[in-house]
Amino acid sequence: MMLNILGAVLLIVGFYAAWRLAPKRPDAPAAGWFPDPASKSTRSRLWDGQAWTARVTDGAARANLGHHFRGRFWGRWVWILAAALVVLGIGIAAYQATENVHVMAVTSFLAMALVCWAFYGFVDRQLSLRDVIGLRQVAAVAVASAGATFLVALNLNDLTGSIGGISLATALVGFTEETAKLLVPIALFLLGTYRNPRAGVAIGLASGFGFAIAETTLYAYQMAAASGPAFCGGETPAVTTGSVIAAQVARIFGVSPFHWLFTGIAVAIAWRAWHLYGRKGMPAAIGGIVLVMVVHSLNDTSATLGCGEPTVQSLLALVRYVLVIVMYLVFKAWTRKHTPPQMIGAVSKGWAPKHLGEQQVSADETAAQGAPTREPADG
């Protein structure tokens, strides 16, 4: 009951703050024709003020695509990540000395929040998110998403678990948890706010951050109380200080990143489809969201495989870590479609937009830069 009350308060307060603080900024940069970042030829592509479109025309210069692994990779986010490691180290030492679960919970909260902040800082350096959204809005969405975690996701997971046990709960977890995480971003979109695709990516990440922070903190208490899910059935294994620490470290760096990557991918696909195609983009948007839900469920279901086979379980754990990298690459592939013109060449070549589609237009049409119509095709 207390978690439901806390969830309702966080959801209402965070959502209201995000709605009231919704950015009211002009498009940055403004719409115009720029050297095509998806081509090595001398042609131009239309940036409509919020996203790269499929419209291309002859140009006078090639885009400076930068170099692989060079550009705006390193930044302040590295120091924030280092701070997370320091906090985690100090907290673990304090927990080992006191065996006070509150110490581990606070440590998990702070370390997870810092890891999320570091990742957001990294993405911000590539997409210049601060041009379209501020940190206050990101924090507000994260708070609302934390509330949705307690109020929606936990209750849905408990319901599916009570109906069909751990097997059904893990099979549907992608649908229940992604629904909870997408609740706030989609509600804000429907209210007419945060519709810029880059702002959408930002609040998609923020929603994943809120979920990750809330869940990781809660798991510190559940692990210490041996009340977490036993994926292979039977009783939950005996808890030791070391097992709690190992589980929380693995969750912070190997499990929780899925939450913001999955939601970030879903939002990147949906917001782009809705921006370029309007209602015609609904199938692509829903398809992207459902695909993310399915992959999320498959990832969690893998935890129930290989029970009684330590070697198989170890291999599956390794595969899940590899999947984190794969999901990051998919996230980058979709979000880099919105790397703004002023960042092309400044960021690593891996963040240059690709697969944007092509619709050749004449030189006479290039003068119409004010309010470009939605594109009929996008690759």
Side-chain angles (χ1 to χ4, degrees), residues 7 15-16 28 53 77 112 116 144 148 196 200 224 231 266 273 314 316 375:
F15 184 84
Y16 179 76
T53 71
W77 68 270
M112 191 75 261
C116 291
N196 183 300
F231 291 108
S314 297
L316 288 172
E375 300 305 307

Side-chain angles (χ1 to χ4, degrees), residues 6 33 50 55 78 80 98 101 121 133 171 204 210 227 241-242 250 257 278 294 331 334 353-354 377:
L6 175 62
W33 293 89
Q50 297 187 13
R55 291 185 174 185
V78 176
I80 298 173
T98 64
V101 65
I133 190 172
S227 60
T241 301
V294 170
F331 170 78
W334 276 97
K354 294 183 179 179

